[in-house]
Amino acid sequence: MEDKYDSRKKRYVEAWNTIYFDTEEPINLSCQEYDELGFDFTMNEMFDCAFRTYHRGIEAGHKELIPILGALYEQTGNLEYAYRCYLEAALINNQNGLKNLSRMYKKGIYVQKDEKKAKKLNMLSKKTIMKKKR
């Protein structure tokens, strides 16, 4: 497997995509590399590849990609799946998941507007920050 994704150059995307997704052979990328690759696909409007990349990263155990996948769903207009991703991330105390879920409740995006839930989720996200700092 000579072609490998180079996160600095961000140019072997198609070769990596072909090798990885056609053969299902894992390449063992870090969370940051999955995120960079997914971001590159998104910027090139290759949304199917971006979705597959984030799903692969999550399957590989990188749960911090869940709210990023949710943001991609939200960006492409699939609010139900965005909500599900944010909720799943919030259940594992992911700060970004909590913040995005709070925003959805505050603005009434996909869910019924609920200021109390929004405040509670926002407070939980701040507690998550405090726990990480310790």
Side-chain angles (χ1 to χ4, degrees):
M1 201 171 356
E2 290 179 26
D3 291 327
K4 219 175 180 185
Y5 179 69
D6 183 349
S7 60
R8 284 169 278 149
K9 293 182 183 176
K10 294 187 178 184
R11 285 304 124 217
Y12 295 125
V13 173
E14 290 179 19
W16 184 90
N17 185 38
T18 303
I19 293 167
Y20 187 73
F21 291 115
D22 287 350
T23 65
E24 299 299 320
E25 186 178 327
I27 296 181
N28 299 324
L29 298 175
S30 69
C31 182
Q32 182 180 348
E33 289 171 323
Y34 275 111
D35 188 24
E36 288 174 356
L37 182 59
F39 180 79
D40 200 36
F41 280 134
T42 302
M43 290 296 104
N44 288 299
E45 297 183 8
M46 299 169 69
F47 296 113
D48 288 343
C49 294
F51 283 119
R52 285 188 290 180
T53 300
Y54 286 121
H55 279 286
R56 292 277 179 212
I58 293 165
E59 288 171 11
H62 303 295
K63 301 293 184 195
E64 40 297 344
L65 295 174
I66 296 172
I68 299 169
L69 177 62
L72 182 58
Y73 277 123
E74 190 172 353
Q75 178 184 345
T76 57
N78 194 333
L79 298 178
E80 178 184 356
Y81 283 104
Y83 174 78
R84 287 180 183 187
C85 287
Y86 297 150
L87 182 60
E88 186 178 343
L91 290 173
I92 59 171
N93 287 325
N94 179 286
Q95 180 191 2
N96 292 327
L98 288 162
K99 281 183 175 182
N100 285 318
L101 199 56
S102 173
R103 180 181 49 78
M104 288 184 96
Y105 277 105
K106 185 176 183 174
K107 295 183 178 184
I109 300 170
Y110 183 72
V111 294
Q112 187 172 0
K113 193 173 185 176
D114 189 335
E115 290 286 332
K116 286 184 181 180
K117 277 187 185 177
K119 277 187 176 183
K120 196 172 197 175
L121 289 164
N122 194 30
M123 287 176 60
L124 284 171
S125 75
K126 289 178 182 176
K127 285 182 182 178
T128 304
I129 294 171
M130 297 303 286
K131 285 181 182 178
K132 285 183 181 179
K133 287 183 179 179
R134 291 181 191 173

